[in-house]
Amino acid sequence: MELIFNIINLEREELTISKGETLLDLYKREGYPDNGTPTNRIIEKVEPGIGATYAELECKRNSVITEPAVPVIIGKTEGTDYLGIYEKTTKQMIESYLLNDKYAPKKLVTTPEGYKAKLIPTFEKLKIDWHKDYFCLYDECEKLVQDTGYRPGIRIDDFFDYERKAYVSATPLGTRNRKFLEGGFKWLRIVPDYDYKKEATLIVTRSFNRTLFEKLRRLLPTSKCICIFYKSTDGIAAIIQKLLAEGLIKDEDYKIFCSDKSVKKLKGMELHYTHDRLELPLAKINLFTARFFSAVDIKINKLVDILVLSNYKQAMHTMIDPFTEAVQIQGRFRNKLDGDRRYNSLTFITNTDDKLEVKSDKEVEKEITTKLESYVTIKDKYDNSVDEITRKVLQKELTKLSFNEFLNDEGELTEESIDHAFNEERVKGYYQSPQALVNAYNETGHFRLQVIDNSQGVGEDDYLPLKKLSTKDVWKYLASQLERLERNKLRIPNFDFDAEVRLLETMHSEHYFIIDAYLKIGKAPIETANYSKSKIEKELKAYNLQQGEKLRFSPKILAEIEEDFREEVGSQSYVAKSDFMERLRRIFEANGITFKVRGDGKKESDTMCKITEATVGDYFDFTLHNSHNPPSYKLLRFKSELVRNS
């Protein structure tokens, strides 16, 4: 079993398309057979909405078109002579369609699951040579890579058996599948000869919910229609529930579009305006899960405000890929209004994390290779064993191995699953910093980006990760946050470091100890102490003593002590011990010097110094007169050399 880790390099072709042209126009111009999709191509059409499936549906040949989601199929086949194949389509319906001469040529638009479970068995029953008689077009082909981790049925195992075939998307991803090379595939890029960049705003925040609802409160009074795209059913439910609870919308003001399974879940939460297919007209505010991100055509006569959400701290899978999903989402709105505009505004709201762990390509390769080695070891033992009990045990062990995620039902390696593993880390990498994300959006070539970066300080999201952590892990997290704030203090003009620290203290008041320790001794001693409180307290004691010595003998303190006792020094006067100590305490307290005196109950580690009789000698030559009532000091000389040496 050979592992391929390098993306294959296909021969490149490039064609130009003009504004107003569709792919059908281009295919006719280029003279492709049947005026349809060219065969053996991965087609990067760049612009969504220029008619890839339309071209194949219109051309004069039999076609199997695979679509990733049911709403797309319904949208493209309902009320037409094309047959949509999904959960509700029966084999009998397919058979009747194929045998009916009224429908010619045959146009079959199917989910991958419907293709395998219903279409192929019907082809076989009717003895149709579908690999020869049909063109196979896999639409939105990047979904093969993105979704295969949780949806293995999205793969079509006999795709390369078709004589005529193609992948197409505005945003295809590179592949490691050598069958494309062996099949003579080329990468065809359709380049618009016009400016296709769209205005967009990227908001990076550390307070995701607050930022989102501030945006919604601004939009709701004026927007004709709001469309939110979010890969979290729970997150969508929380948004609508909050809007309803605050009286910002009424029940009939929203619609949610999601899978049939999620429809049942949300209706059970009394969110009744929930649908598994596109239902027009849209409401005031509309929320879409991932199955509506690509291929669905939303044709409405109003300019909408689009919000695209990524909140990885709620769910890692909500991260939006700038190169695919971000491009596809804005392409859902097909009607051009007010000149050439298809929507009013496009805003991406997201959080990032510089501590997000992302595997390098080498690490992904090593992980997959190690999984394969474990699999091969047990598989060889299984294949070579003749003892039935041993074989059963080994077979059970094989089914538990994580390498199975890279295999199809026949136990064969699927390159799409390898691509998926690398793709997951690629997308995560964009969310390690605001700049990495900005760079990714700019590199797509699809957006003129306005960036609002509100991530420098402390936000409500900084509390979320701490709920289930140990104290040590919380302290590590807070130390890293303080380190980040220190960096921002140095690089960002007018950055209010103190205000951000106060906010962090408010959010994590129960962990004030570590915040205070960091501000005093920094991160290095804390890490050396391995976040042990007792060891950190020792470091703090040493720090406090050092700071106490610095402050006690600073020019300002020396001047105040000299001035306060000037009349008594060198005179015949005596200073009562209690009076001396009280006056010295006042000076120390006024200058922020913490101290301990005998019997006050303070911890020595919490103070900078102790005030004892020896402290008098730190500043004065003196004589002690315990026989006086009260016991007193006679101050002979202030040690002026201390001032010269300070």
Side-chain angles (χ1 to χ4, degrees):
M1 194 177 291
E2 183 184 5
L3 293 175
I4 306 297
F5 291 130
N6 294 322
I7 291 178
I8 60 171
N9 291 314
L10 297 176
E11 181 182 335
R12 297 270 168 164
E13 296 179 329
E14 197 168 279
L15 294 174
T16 301
I17 194 168
S18 298
K19 186 177 284 292
E21 272 194 307
T22 67
L23 282 179
L24 182 60
D25 299 324
L26 184 146
Y27 293 162
K28 287 179 179 178
R29 170 161 42 93
E30 293 298 317
Y32 288 130
D34 304 311
N35 294 325
T37 313
T39 189
N40 291 352
R41 299 291 190 279
I42 296 177
I43 302 168
E44 180 187 358
K45 62 180 182 174
V46 179
E47 265 272 78
I50 58 174
T53 50
Y54 173 77
E56 189 55 39
L57 289 168
E58 286 293 306
C59 72
K60 304 302 180 183
R61 66 186 177 201
N62 296 329
S63 307
V64 172
I65 301 173
T66 305
E67 294 288 353
V70 173
V72 183
I73 295 171
I74 293 171
K76 294 185 184 297
T77 61
E78 205 167 51
T80 72
D81 289 342
Y82 315 138
L83 181 65
I85 302 172
Y86 53 101
E87 301 104 306
K88 296 179 181 178
T89 311
T90 65
K91 292 178 185 176
Q92 183 56 52
M93 292 167 65
I94 300 171
E95 183 174 338
S96 298
Y97 177 85
L98 292 173
L99 292 174
N100 192 333
D101 293 338
K102 174 187 172 184
Y103 304 117
K106 308 297 183 187
K107 301 293 178 179
L108 305 165
V109 188
T110 179
T111 61
E113 292 84 358
Y115 175 82
K116 283 177 274 193
K118 299 175 181 179
L119 182 55
I120 287 182
T122 308
F123 277 151
E124 290 173 338
K125 179 181 178 182
L126 299 177
K127 294 182 169 47
I128 293 172
D129 186 355
W130 69 94
H131 294 138
K132 180 179 180 181
D133 295 346
Y134 283 76
F135 187 99
C136 184
L137 179 66
Y138 202 114
D139 193 22
E140 310 304 345
C141 57
E142 74 278 1
K143 302 296 279 184
L144 269 166
V145 174
Q146 292 171 331
D147 294 359
T148 195
Y150 68 90
R151 186 186 173 189
I154 199 170
R155 302 190 289 263
I156 292 182
D157 296 329
D158 67 337
F159 174 80
F160 291 97
D161 295 330
Y162 280 87
E163 292 182 3
R164 296 163 297 160
K165 55 203 171 287
Y167 275 13
V168 68
S169 178
T171 57
L173 294 168
T175 177
R176 292 164 177 80
N177 194 336
R178 287 189 174 275
K179 290 180 181 177
F180 286 102
L181 279 176
E182 294 161 1
F185 268 70
K186 297 179 182 179
W187 188 288
L188 172 58
R189 190 166 191 262
I190 310 298
V191 184
D193 65 1
Y194 52 90
D195 180 12
Y196 57 90
K197 284 189 175 182
K198 307 297 188 295
E199 304 291 336
T201 300
L202 173 64
I203 302 175
V204 186
T205 178
R206 302 187 81 87
S207 296
F208 178 84
N209 287 320
R210 186 175 67 200
T211 301
L212 170 61
F213 281 94
E214 284 174 356
K215 181 72 174 177
L216 287 173
R217 288 186 185 95
R218 288 195 298 271
L219 284 176
L220 280 166
T222 58
S223 177
K224 295 177 181 177
C225 181
I226 300 169
C227 290
I228 298 175
F229 293 81
Y230 195 17
K231 289 192 285 186
S232 170
T233 304
D234 290 337
I236 283 174
I239 291 168
I240 292 299
Q241 287 168 336
K242 184 175 174 66
L243 291 173
L244 289 169
E246 294 186 6
L248 295 172
I249 62 170
K250 301 184 292 296
D251 267 344
E252 61 271 20
D253 288 335
Y254 77 88
K255 284 185 178 180
I256 299 171
F257 301 97
C258 54
S259 69
D260 179 58
K261 181 179 177 182
S262 294
V263 167
K264 293 173 184 174
K265 175 181 177 179
L266 293 175
K267 284 184 181 290
M269 299 168 69
E270 299 188 358
L271 296 173
H272 298 295
Y273 296 87
T274 305
H275 312 273
D276 64 355
R277 62 171 71 184
L278 187 65
E279 295 281 353
L280 297 179
L282 294 182
K284 175 70 172 178
I285 183 166
N286 309 273
L287 301 97
F288 300 86
T289 60
R291 66 171 7 209
F292 292 87
F293 283 12
S294 59
V296 178
D297 298 342
I298 303 176
K299 297 177 180 179
I300 56 174
N301 293 318
K302 58 180 73 172
L303 293 173
V304 305
D305 292 289
I306 304 171
L307 301 180
V308 185
L309 310 182
S310 301
N311 182 9
Y312 86 90
K313 290 196 174 181
Q314 180 185 49
M316 189 73 73
H317 66 261
T318 65
M319 291 180 180
I320 292 292
D321 181 1
F323 286 90
T324 58
E325 293 161 321
V327 176
Q328 291 285 356
I329 287 168
Q330 59 85 27
R332 295 311 94 223
F333 300 89
R334 298 303 171 89
N335 289 349
K336 293 183 178 179
L337 307 165
D338 188 20
D340 201 33
R341 299 168 67 201
R342 291 187 286 107
Y343 46 81
N344 184 53
S345 68
L346 172 62
T347 304
F348 301 98
I349 299 177
T350 185
N351 42 31
T352 61
D353 185 1
D354 59 359
K355 299 300 179 184
L356 187 62
E357 293 184 1
V358 178
K359 298 169 191 168
S360 67
D361 284 355
K362 289 294 182 186
E363 287 172 326
V364 176
E365 289 178 20
K366 179 66 175 174
E367 185 175 288
I368 296 173
T369 302
T370 302
K371 289 179 179 180
L372 172 61
E373 289 169 353
S374 299
Y375 179 86
V376 169
T377 299
I378 297 177
K379 184 70 163 58
D380 285 346
K381 289 180 181 179
Y382 173 80
D383 291 340
N384 295 317
S385 176
V386 294
D387 180 73
E388 281 304 311
I389 295 177
T390 302
R391 286 175 63 83
K392 284 182 180 179
V393 171
L394 291 171
Q395 187 175 36
K396 189 175 181 180
E397 289 300 312
L398 277 173
T399 60
K400 296 178 182 177
L401 294 177
S402 55
F403 189 73
N404 286 298
E405 67 189 87
F406 301 108
L407 304 176
N408 62 16
D409 293 339
E410 285 71 44
E412 299 167 336
L413 183 69
T414 62
E415 286 78 2
E416 290 85 5
S417 59
I418 303 288
D419 290 335
H420 175 77
F422 283 92
N423 188 66
E424 291 284 286
E425 301 306 314
R426 173 184 67 83
V427 176
K428 281 164 60 179
Y430 304 141
Y431 288 82
Q432 288 185 303
S433 72
Q435 192 57 54
L437 195 57
V438 170
N439 292 344
Y441 273 100
N442 286 333
E443 286 168 17
T444 68
H446 279 269
F447 304 105
R448 277 186 289 273
L449 204 63
Q450 177 192 3
V451 180
I452 301 173
D453 185 359
N454 295 327
S455 68
Q456 298 96 342
V458 175
E460 62 189 18
D461 295 348
D462 291 311
Y463 192 78
L464 296 179
L466 308 185
K467 293 178 180 177
K468 296 181 181 179
L469 297 180
S470 66
T471 298
K472 181 177 179 180
D473 286 337
V474 172
W475 286 6
K476 283 183 177 181
Y477 177 82
L478 291 174
S480 70
Q481 291 301 307
L482 288 161
E483 186 177 43
R484 178 180 63 82
L485 294 176
E486 281 189 324
R487 288 197 303 269
N488 289 342
K489 179 182 178 181
L490 295 174
R491 69 180 185 86
I492 300 173
N494 303 317
F495 182 76
D496 196 339
F497 175 80
D498 293 336
E500 298 299 333
V501 170
R502 286 195 296 273
L503 180 55
L504 199 65
E505 288 173 343
T506 301
M507 292 171 63
H508 304 292
S509 56
E510 69 272 32
H511 297 288
Y512 175 77
F513 170 80
I514 198 67
I515 297 173
D516 182 59
Y518 184 99
L519 295 174
K520 287 178 176 176
I521 62 177
K523 189 178 182 182
I526 293 173
E527 287 191 326
T528 301
N530 197 26
Y531 293 87
S532 162
K533 186 174 184 180
S534 60
K535 292 179 181 178
I536 294 171
E537 284 177 335
K538 287 181 181 178
E539 294 287 343
L540 284 171
K541 180 180 178 181
Y543 168 84
N544 287 333
L545 289 173
Q546 184 185 44
Q547 288 300 107
E549 290 301 296
K550 272 189 194 176
L551 288 172
R552 286 204 307 121
F553 295 102
S554 64
K556 182 175 185 296
I557 301 299
L558 292 172
E560 288 187 22
I561 292 172
E562 183 178 20
E563 179 61 30
D564 200 272
F565 292 96
R566 185 179 299 279
E567 292 184 6
E568 288 91 343
V569 173
S571 70
Q572 297 303 311
S573 302
Y574 293 86
V575 183
K577 278 185 175 184
S578 58
D579 181 41
F580 183 93
M581 295 300 178
E582 178 58 31
R583 289 159 70 181
L584 191 61
R585 277 201 298 265
R586 283 202 306 269
I587 294 170
F588 280 8
E589 284 175 347
N591 287 278
I593 300 174
T594 58
F595 55 85
K596 174 177 176 56
V597 295
R598 187 176 180 181
D600 65 3
K602 293 180 183 176
K603 279 186 178 181
E604 204 172 318
S605 60
D606 292 336
T607 62
M608 295 177 176
C609 63
K610 289 193 292 186
I611 297 181
T612 65
E613 200 159 271
T615 311
V616 185
D618 289 339
Y619 300 106
F620 299 95
D621 291 333
F622 72 99
T623 56
L624 176 61
H625 299 271
N626 280 329
S627 59
H628 285 208
N629 187 17
S632 302
Y633 302 120
K634 187 170 186 179
L635 305 180
L636 305 176
R637 182 181 74 88
F638 176 73
K639 294 183 177 180
S640 55
E641 64 271 18
L642 294 173
V643 178
R644 292 193 298 271
N645 295 332
S646 64

